[in-house]
Each structure stands twice: as C-alpha cells, then as structure tokens.
Amino acid sequence: METSRRTVLAAAAAAGITAVAAAPGTAYADPSAKGGRMPVKEPFGTLADGTRVHRWTLENGGTRMKVLSYGGIVQSLEIPDRYGRYANVSLGFERLEDYVASSPYFGALIGRYGNRIGGSRFTLDGREYALSVNDGPNSLHGGAAGFDKRVWDVEPFSGPAGTGLVLRYASADGEMGYPGRLDVTVTYTLDGKGDWRIDYAATTDRPTVVNLTSHTYFNLAGEGSGDVLGHELRMAASRYTPTDATLIPTGQLAKVAGTPFDFRHGKPIGRDIRAAHPQLVTAKGFDHNWVLDKGITRSPEYAATLRDPRSGRIMRMATTEPGLQFYSGNFLDGTLSGPSGRTYRQGDGLCLETQHFPDSPNQPHFPSTVLRPGETYRSVTVHSFNAG
Ligand code: GLA
C-alpha cells in the first residue's frame, strides 16, 4: 500500500504536481499519519468443528502484537526494554490446541460478563435469569463458553488512528443464559506511539447486562522469566470490594488505607502479598476489584501503572471504567507452559482487568451494568508502554 502511494507521489512529482489529495476513505497507510502497516493474517489452526482460526500480526510505534480470531486472544505482546530489547510480555501458548484445551483466559476477550455473578443468577425487570455455572456456585467470565471461546469476525485497518483490528461477535439471545441478542464490536488499535487501545461497544434487542474486559496476563520482564512479585504497581483507588469465600463481593466498599490493598503510592506486588489478611488468604493472593477514584468517565482517565525495575518496562493504563480487577495469577500451578517452554507458576503473570464491579446485577448500589435496546454499551481502555 505504501509503495503504491510512493509510486503515485513519484509520478506526481515527475508531472510537476507537488501535492496529491487522498481520496476520502483511501485505505493506504500514509506514513505521516502514523497509521503503520496493515495487519498481516496467517492460518493458526482448525477447531474440532472445522472452523479455521487465524492469527493477525500488528505492529506500530514500536509495539508488536499477535491476535487470534479465537477469543480475540492476544497471543503475544512485544515491547522494548530500556535498551531497546524486545520481549513478549504476555502469557500465552504456542498452539491453538492449548488455548482450546485449558486456558485460564490467557489474553482473551471476556464477555458477556467479566468476573463473577453470584449464584449464577440475577433478576432484571422482575424476571430471574439462570446463567451457565462454571466456578463453584458462580458464573465466571460469561460462563462455560464465554466470548474467550468464540471465533470472532476480524477486519484489519490502517489509518490516521493507527493500525488495528475490528473484532465482531453476535451472541445469540439466551446464550449462556443471558437475555437478548448482543452485537459486540471490539477494536484493538496500536497507535503511532505504540499504545494499545481497546474500544468495546455492544447493543442488544432485549434488556440485559454486559461487562466486557480483556484478560491479558502481563509479565513485563517477559513471559516465562519468573514471577512478577518485584513489579511495582500503582492503582488510583482508595477503596476495593472485599469478597466472600467464593470471591463474590460482600457489597462493602472498603478503604485500602492501612491494609495490603493500598497501592495508591505504588509498591512492589510481593511486599504484602503474604500478609495474614483474611482477604489475601481467601483469594490466595490479590484477586479483587479496586474502585477507581475517578469513577466512570466519558474518556479514558488514569487508572494504574505497572513497572518492572529490572527491564525498565512500564505500562500505564487509562480507562472509562469504574473498576480494576487486579489478579496476581494465584491459580497458575505449574501445569501450563508458554511459548518459551517454561512453566507458569503462581504469580508468574498478573491481570489488570478494567471493568464494572463483579456481581453488579445482584448489587443495586454498584454502578449499573444494565443495557437496554436503543442504548450502546461503550468502554475504552488504553495501555501505554514506555521504558526507563
Ligand atoms: C479472574 C478472576 C480470577 C480467576 C481468573 C482466571 O481474574 O478474578 O479469580 O478466575 O480470572 O483464572
């Protein structure tokens, strides 16, 4: 595409024309627009029912990313360290079969409902809905076959906003017990600075609930390089939602001050993770929703910073969402191994899932996750990468 533009410009210059106006909607990547190259598609395997899965490679502004049409999974995310050396900073697998067989949501899009709904039930407009039960008594991450296990339609783009993918999935009325047909569009964009932006949108034809997120496990030192306990995390949140024994919020918005949950000024993840705090004992580490001080915002605002002092890699997150689930990889038990061939043990990666609070459909004082016909659900999260 760039070649054809150069050819056009060269021909124009030869003809004495100094400026060529681009036709509206022209697909070529204008280098001055920082659009980057068009994503590249390759086969990634076939599911048992014969559906073909593809892998897309995106690159812009110094960030490289590989995304699967299966689950919208970010299979790898490569960013440079302070010396410009690249590493894949997301946990994942080499082969499709491993994602299908038993993935703890590595890199996946999560829907219809990120995190847990207590008792796998909720009532909306006086009607009770029973959801797919897949986590003790609860429904986790959309149920047994959530959006992480669906094949998405993928359309690449490259333009002024950057290079990226538009992923679409239509979830049928009643899927996993949720009412309404939900039409979902998720856009991954890598901009000219190498920032990774996720735009979520959804519409429904019946009143329903929705809470979408991304389940990338980060290890800024590189996947398979050991644990993230030395990473420093800062979260702009003065409160969090404590949980019961099955990780459902009790409904309380508890202050983080004076507890291991205080990340307001930044601290190493390992500093308090083994404190004898009952909430840490129950969850086997951090697996909680932080209530972001900024609340729900129209445009993405600062939420958190993750920094690996060894490599110097830094990730800053901004979101429109009111909550941030920080999960310290507590259930990784050494039975899975990544593309590096090294096994993943507890704490070898962490998730920072921007979201509405878990179990909101059953907690009337939490911000609402109800979506009605005629409305559009929207959520934006931006990950900015740096090294220093
Ligand atoms: C989320 C949950 C965790 C766990 C992981 C997946 O982060 O909060 O409890 O289920 O997903 O293993």
Side-chain angles (χ1 to χ4, degrees):
M1 291 296 182
E2 282 176 38
T3 316
S4 63
R5 174 159 167 82
R6 272 199 294 273
T7 313
V8 171
L9 289 173
I17 303 167
T18 48
V20 182
T26 304
Y28 59 65
D30 179 349
S32 66
K34 301 196 185 327
R37 255 180 286 143
M38 203 58 158
V40 176
K41 181 185 185 182
E42 64 188 318
F44 192 68
T46 308
L47 297 174
D49 69 358
T51 309
R52 295 212 166 127
V53 172
H54 292 96
R55 177 168 73 175
W56 293 84
T57 302
L58 289 66
E59 189 167 351
N60 201 11
T63 301
R64 297 179 201 142
M65 184 182 250
K66 291 187 195 295
V67 176
L68 309 182
S69 54
Y70 180 79
I73 288 170
V74 174
Q75 191 217 2
S76 87
L77 173 64
E78 292 177 76
I79 55 170
D81 68 3
R82 63 165 70 88
Y83 304 112
R85 290 177 306 208
Y86 276 81
N88 172 14
V89 298
S90 70
L91 274 53
F93 297 121
E94 191 70 13
R95 301 174 319 143
L96 178 63
E97 298 84 284
D98 296 329
Y99 283 105
V100 175
S102 65
S103 174
Y105 307 94
F106 282 153
L109 285 176
I110 302 296
R112 296 187 186 192
Y113 200 97
N115 214 278
R116 294 174 178 78
I117 296 187
S120 305
R121 294 179 173 270
F122 70 95
T123 302
L124 179 58
D125 298 339
R127 206 174 137 181
E128 192 182 66
Y129 295 95
L131 305 172
S132 158
V133 186
N134 65 336
D135 188 70
N138 305 322
S139 189
L140 173 66
H141 294 329
F147 292 178
D148 56 296
K149 294 177 186 68
R150 306 287 172 174
V151 176
W152 294 64
D153 274 344
V154 183
E155 199 184 306
F157 66 88
S158 176
T163 183
L165 303 172
V166 179
L167 300 107
R168 290 192 183 86
Y169 176 66
S171 173
D173 185 10
E175 192 177 276
M176 298 292 112
Y178 289 91
R181 171 189 153 121
L182 195 74
D183 285 288
V184 186
T185 304
V186 179
T187 308
Y188 289 159
T189 309
L190 291 185
D191 73 10
K193 299 197 299 283
D195 291 359
W196 170 33
R197 176 179 168 121
I198 313 178
D199 286 82
Y200 305 85
T203 54
T204 184
D205 62 0
R206 283 176 62 199
T208 191
V209 296
V210 59
N211 189 32
L212 308 179
T213 194
S214 158
H215 211 292
T216 301
Y217 286 68
F218 298 98
N219 182 329
L220 296 183
E223 68 80 27
S225 70
D227 67 56
V228 295
L229 299 182
H231 282 37
E232 293 157 7
L233 177 64
R234 184 175 159 224
M235 289 188 278
S238 310
R239 293 172 300 167
Y240 76 109
T241 51
T243 64
D244 69 12
T246 70
L247 303 184
I248 296 295
T250 58
Q252 194 199 353
L253 304 183
K255 290 204 168 83
V256 298
T259 77
F261 293 82
D262 191 352
F263 284 87
R264 288 174 298 173
H265 308 294
K267 64 173 175 177
I269 288 165
R271 182 176 291 169
D272 297 323
I273 201 169
R274 305 216 189 280
H277 190 288
Q279 284 290 318
L280 289 173
V281 175
T282 303
K284 302 186 167 58
F286 295 104
D287 191 356
H288 295 81
N289 168 68
W290 269 256
V291 179
L292 295 170
D293 292 336
K294 69 172 191 68
I296 300 173
T297 43
R298 276 198 148 271
S299 48
E301 284 186 21
Y302 178 76
T305 308
L306 183 66
R307 177 173 171 267
D308 170 38
R310 278 188 298 157
S311 65
R313 293 190 186 94
I314 300 166
M315 179 176 76
R316 197 174 171 277
M317 293 176 77
T319 186
T320 54
E321 288 299 299
L324 185 63
Q325 183 84 14
F326 163 38
Y327 168 59
S328 53
N330 314 329
F331 300 129
L332 298 173
D333 61 3
T335 54
L336 304 173
S337 53
S340 58
R342 287 184 288 265
T343 55
Y344 294 144
R345 293 183 184 279
Q346 193 179 41
D348 282 3
L350 67 98
C351 301
L352 291 166
E353 303 152 65
T354 54
Q355 60 180 15
H356 271 53
F357 308 166
D359 197 37
S360 295
N362 294 312
Q363 311 248 6
H365 61 295
F366 285 179
S368 171
T369 52
V370 173
L371 181 71
R372 297 186 181 277
E375 300 172 344
T376 302
Y377 163 93
R378 285 189 201 284
S379 164
V380 183
T381 294
V382 182
H383 309 73
S384 307
F385 304 109
N386 235 304

